[in-house]
Amino acid sequence: MIPLVGEGGTNMLLIVAVILGLGVTSQVLADRFRVPSVLFLILSGVAVGPKGLSIVTQDVFGGALTTIVGLSVAIIVFEGSFHLKIEKLRESPSAALRLITVGAALSFIGTTLAIRFFLNTTWGIAALIGALLIATGPTVITPILAVVPVRDRVAAALETEGIVNDVTAAILAVVIFKLLAAQGATPLAYLTDFIERLSVGVFIGLVISAILWFLLTRVRTPTGWTPQNARLLTLVGAIVAYSAADTIVTESGVAAVATAGIVLGNVGLPYEAEIEEFKGDITIIVLSFVFIALAALIEFETLLDLGLAGLAVVAVVALVLRPLLVFLSTTGDRFTRGEKLFMSFVGPRGIIPASVATLFAIQLGTPAAPSNPEGASILAGTVFLVILLTVVFEGGFARQLAEWFNVIPMRVLIIGGGRVGTELAERLEERGENVVIIEERKSAAEALRNKGLSVREGDGTNVELLRKAGGEQSKTIVAATGDDDTNLLVAQLAESTFDTETVITRVNEPDNVDAFEELGVKTISSSASTAWGIDNLIERPAMSRWMTELGRSGDVQEVEVTDESLASKTISDVNETLPEGCIVALVSRDEENTVPEASLNLEYGDHLTILGRTESVHEAIDQLHPHD
């Protein structure tokens, strides 16, 4: 065994290596079990902390921990805000705005009252904890959204709330802490101090982002900017923005990096994709370090001292206030009930409350600050208890919650927002799928947004735009423009660039169908589909009317049999176990389609067409196809 403490003191290098190793392991486990990495990170921190192996303790880092955490937070917040595109914000602007205003105010007031009532502490300490627990943050939301591919409107609302409320919580907490010792502080003094910190942070963020934009787009070097230089420059810019703002006014650095990230992520920097990928890798490292380091500092005696009163506070924060503020904030938007419930029960607290609470608890326990050891204990205990329980339960079970509330849709990318693309998008949206349209015409794109559809404006034959719109995560890509050449190019790009399960293209000229199919592209001929629809109205009007309502009252879905226990069972056996209101209408095997007899034996990998009521069909799919 390699000693962690030698003659010269703690072997810092080895401890950092252990933390990073645990961080990578946590990420691998998160990918393997498809749960947010923060769950494994916080458990790893507890394991190597004072109550575990005692590898990581507060004495290891000494006074440097605050600086390390601060720089880590700067990188994490910058990375999260860099991904927050204006187009994504348009998916749910009113909900995001209410979450960061009405939602934040309700969280602050409700949490403050709960702590004052249950823990019987002073109003100052209660308000300080209430301010800190406003924050969710990209440190916990981003890992959840990485494994739970919700609709864009849900992701946009949660990401915006996390980034903005991180800033709000950090600044508000500092203002309250600063004025705790002030005699006769007025509400105006609180407001002035808050605005001062926010303004400094926003100003520094704008200045740094303007400098970076100028350097990368206007300054010409002899060899030109390389992706590596662009990545390093933006990383340094984020750290400089945080450090400069925090040096001028304490805790304004978070606002600075959030501002710089949002601005730079939306101005079209060169090598933007490379910058995003690089920052994502760096974020994994610092996220691992800061979560494990802070989790190791959790004092379980302090948590236990809170007793049932502490659990009552967590219950109010997570089970009362969170659902209330989410439902208030999403009123009138196109969020489904399942999406509202998912957002209600996925609001874990993260790094900002943990790091700031640790700093304040240390200062409250010393004579140099407004000395209040009891308040320091309640502050640290309550914040860490909320973080621990919300991360473990809400973060750890986020995917299961998403499946329970049915908020993980199939992602469909439609190129072309004309009549065909719009009609298809509306039908898929009504059925609960996550649809993104790429439309080149600005007026048409705006009209589609006004209908509540997710739109990316630009050329659908641009690979980078396809990637930004979610081409890599899309299960289906549909080329639905009125130009066959464009549709063919889109289909070829999708099949050659992305690992997309299904690529379908609209064919406007009947003579082009054979050429498309020779290239292996699945086609829908406009003239043939129109003729087919008219023929159905003539020969089978009832079926035609029912087919136009698919996804509403009734549905038809094709599913692959992946439940080994169904192999060798007959169609009669399967129909008896299916939910009431649906039947197996068609069996496809070796590209042969047959209307099955009751005695037909199923085989693993058969494709079954299920017909019936919408809810029953979806239940049958889960039963027949339990594996992704």
Side-chain angles (χ1 to χ4, degrees):
M1 179 178 177
I2 300 175
L4 294 181
V5 179
E7 293 181 1
T10 304
N11 191 333
M12 178 71 73
L13 182 61
L14 183 57
I15 291 176
V16 171
V18 168
I19 291 176
L20 295 181
L22 287 172
V24 173
T25 303
S26 297
Q27 190 64 44
V28 172
L29 290 173
D31 292 339
R32 170 65 180 82
F33 295 104
R34 303 179 74 181
V35 298
S37 59
V38 291
L39 173 63
F40 294 106
L41 290 172
I42 202 166
L43 293 177
S44 298
V46 172
V48 298
K51 300 304 178 183
L53 300 176
S54 294
I55 296 174
V56 181
T57 64
Q58 188 167 340
D59 295 335
V60 169
F61 302 102
L65 182 61
T66 303
T67 302
I68 294 172
V69 170
L71 292 177
S72 299
V73 167
I75 295 171
I76 294 167
V77 172
F78 183 80
E79 197 266 344
S81 57
F82 193 88
H83 281 91
L84 198 61
K85 308 300 182 184
I86 296 300
E87 288 184 337
K88 181 180 284 189
L89 286 174
R90 290 176 178 173
E91 303 296 337
S92 55
S94 57
L97 180 62
R98 286 194 289 266
L99 280 171
I100 63 177
T101 52
V102 176
L106 181 60
S107 176
F108 171 60
I109 295 171
T111 304
T112 300
L113 292 173
I115 292 167
R116 170 69 175 169
F117 176 77
F118 287 111
L119 298 179
N120 195 30
T121 186
T122 64
W123 280 111
I125 294 296
L128 187 58
I129 299 172
L132 287 173
L133 293 180
I134 291 173
T136 52
T139 57
V140 284
I141 294 300
T142 301
I144 289 175
L145 296 179
V147 297
V148 185
V150 293
R151 287 184 184 84
D152 284 357
R153 60 174 176 255
V154 177
L158 289 176
E159 288 175 339
T160 306
E161 178 196 25
I163 292 168
V164 176
N165 282 358
D166 254 8
V167 176
T168 303
I171 295 177
L172 182 59
V174 170
V175 170
I176 292 173
F177 182 77
K178 180 181 177 183
L179 298 176
L180 269 178
Q183 299 297 322
T186 64
L188 181 61
Y190 283 88
L191 180 62
T192 302
D193 214 342
F194 180 86
I195 293 175
E196 177 189 359
R197 282 171 163 77
L198 181 62
S199 301
V200 169
V202 171
F203 176 75
I204 295 297
L206 290 173
V207 170
I208 295 298
S209 57
I211 293 172
L212 289 175
W213 176 84
F214 179 80
L215 291 174
L216 290 172
T217 61
R218 294 293 182 265
V219 175
R220 296 286 180 260
T221 64
T223 57
W225 287 103
T226 65
Q228 182 183 32
N229 290 337
R231 293 194 300 260
L232 294 175
L233 190 61
T234 53
L235 176 63
V236 171
I239 295 174
V240 169
Y242 177 86
S243 304
D246 223 45
T247 300
I248 297 172
V249 182
T250 307
E251 295 302 328
S252 62
V254 179
V257 290
T259 302
I262 292 173
V263 172
L264 292 172
N266 287 279
V267 295
L269 291 180
Y271 308 115
E272 186 175 319
E274 289 85 352
I275 292 172
E276 287 185 351
E277 183 178 356
F278 173 70
K279 288 192 296 81
D281 293 338
I282 295 295
T283 297
I284 289 175
I285 294 174
V286 297
L287 184 65
S288 303
F289 186 89
V290 75
F291 247 114
I292 291 174
L294 287 177
L297 303 182
I298 296 176
E299 294 287 346
F300 284 94
E301 290 84 358
T302 304
L303 303 187
L304 294 174
D305 287 343
L306 296 174
L308 293 177
L311 294 177
V313 170
V314 178
V316 170
V317 170
L319 303 180
V320 179
L321 293 175
R322 179 68 185 175
L324 180 60
L325 70 87
V326 166
F327 273 80
L328 284 175
S329 299
T330 53
T331 300
D333 280 301
R334 300 185 67 220
F335 290 89
T336 66
R337 182 172 177 273
E339 289 170 344
K340 292 177 182 179
L341 288 171
F342 173 75
M343 294 169 66
S344 297
F345 296 109
V346 177
R349 272 50 177 183
I351 292 299
I352 290 292
S355 58
V356 179
T358 301
L359 175 64
F360 288 169
I362 293 172
Q363 293 184 8
L364 282 171
T366 63
S371 183
N372 187 349
E374 183 181 354
S377 178
I378 293 176
L379 169 64
T382 306
V383 170
F384 274 104
L385 183 63
V386 172
I387 292 171
L388 182 63
L389 294 182
T390 57
V391 166
V392 170
F393 289 101
E394 296 184 352
F397 293 100
R399 186 171 183 86
Q400 287 74 16
L401 288 169
E403 292 171 349
W404 179 264
F405 296 129
N406 194 28
V407 297
I408 302 181
M410 174 178 71
R411 189 176 184 89
V412 181
L413 188 58
I414 299 175
I415 290 80
R419 288 189 296 270
V420 174
T422 302
E423 175 71 18
L424 176 61
E426 289 176 339
R427 292 179 65 84
L428 292 172
E429 280 274 343
E430 286 181 8
R431 203 166 70 203
E433 310 299 356
N434 187 20
V435 183
V436 178
I437 302 174
I438 294 181
E439 172 55 51
E440 191 168 13
R441 297 166 299 164
K442 185 173 183 178
S443 58
E446 195 60 37
L448 291 168
R449 288 193 187 98
N450 292 335
K451 289 185 176 184
L453 297 170
S454 299
V455 186
R456 300 290 182 271
E457 190 177 327
D459 181 4
T461 62
N462 184 295
V463 175
E464 190 56 39
L465 179 59
L466 289 172
R467 181 175 285 107
K468 288 181 180 180
E472 293 174 332
Q473 297 82 36
S474 297
K475 186 176 181 180
T476 302
I477 294 180
V478 180
T481 74
D483 181 71
D484 284 352
D485 291 336
T486 299
N487 290 341
L488 180 60
L489 180 55
V490 168
Q492 291 175 322
L493 287 173
E495 291 190 330
S496 62
T497 308
F498 309 121
D499 186 23
T500 306
E501 185 175 313
T502 305
V503 180
I504 301 172
T505 181
R506 167 188 175 188
V507 180
N508 301 280
E509 294 295 331
D511 294 341
N512 292 335
V513 171
D514 291 339
F516 274 56
E517 291 182 344
E518 285 177 4
L519 293 171
V521 178
K522 295 180 180 179
T523 61
I524 296 293
S525 169
S526 298
S527 56
S529 60
T530 302
W532 179 78
I534 294 173
D535 180 46
N536 278 334
L537 279 173
I538 295 172
E539 296 294 332
R540 48 197 77 83
M543 174 64 78
S544 178
R545 285 193 297 272
W546 186 78
M547 291 288 287
T548 60
E549 292 296 314
L550 284 183
R552 299 182 179 100
S553 59
D555 206 354
V556 178
Q557 292 286 337
E558 183 177 316
V559 61
E560 181 182 1
V561 177
T562 59
D563 185 350
E564 294 88 345
S565 66
L566 294 176
S568 299
K569 286 193 175 183
T570 65
I571 291 294
S572 177
D573 295 332
V574 172
N575 277 332
E576 287 179 3
T577 63
L578 289 181
E580 186 178 348
C582 68
I583 61 170
V584 178
L586 198 69
V587 175
S588 302
R589 182 183 299 167
D590 299 328
E591 299 186 358
E592 228 176 89
N593 303 320
T594 58
V595 177
E597 297 180 358
S599 59
L600 177 68
N601 290 319
L602 286 180
E603 294 180 4
Y604 185 89
D606 281 349
H607 284 252
L608 308 183
T609 299
I610 311 297
L611 180 149
R613 292 197 299 264
T614 302
E615 298 80 6
S616 300
V617 170
H618 290 172
E619 290 177 21
I621 290 173
D622 293 335
Q623 179 179 323
L624 297 168
H625 184 72
H627 309 303
D628 291 331

